[in-house]
Amino acid sequence: MNDIENYRLIPPLVIKLTAIVLPWLELVCAVLLILNRWVRPTALILIGLNIVFMAAISSALIRGLDIECGCFSGDSNVGVMRLVEDAVLLAAAVLLYRLERTHPD
């Protein structure tokens, strides 16, 4: 919850809800992709999440915030490498979305 709050982007009431929902949403998306179910809608959710993550990290960088990104654990401060990682994940989600359209189950 503190990692989300450190970005200073959303009101306190929404922070708690986000901290509860976001990890579960990411987990459900991962399971659906592993099971090869609802790939296009899941990829679309992941595209949206990565865009939001990239916007939040960019905002923190622009404002000079020295904070942990909330990604993974340990030494994961906001920085250009986090943007690169999210860009790669965004590209993968877009690729999944496009490939699923051309190769349905």
Side-chain angles (χ1 to χ4, degrees), residues 30-87:
V31 169
L32 287 172
L33 289 180
I34 290 167
L35 296 176
N36 198 29
R37 298 285 182 229
W38 298 325
V39 174
R40 289 194 85 214
T42 302
L44 199 56
I45 290 168
L46 293 172
I47 289 167
L49 285 175
N50 276 292
I51 290 170
V52 169
F53 295 156
M54 291 175 74
I57 291 171
S58 296
S59 171
L61 285 172
I62 290 167
R63 292 180 291 146
L65 299 178
D66 185 21
I67 60 174
E68 288 193 19
C69 72
C71 335
F72 312 111
S73 62
D75 200 20
S76 60
N77 283 2
V78 166
V80 174
M81 280 311 297
R82 296 291 167 231
L83 281 174
V84 172
E85 289 172 3
D86 282 343

Side-chain angles (χ1 to χ4, degrees), residues 39-40 43 92-105:
V39 174
R40 289 194 85 214
V94 168
L95 185 62
L96 273 174
Y97 184 82
R98 295 199 69 209
L99 287 177
E100 186 64 18
R101 189 171 100 198
T102 57
H103 297 90
D105 289 339

Side-chain angles (χ1 to χ4, degrees), residues 15 28 30:
I15 290 171
V28 168

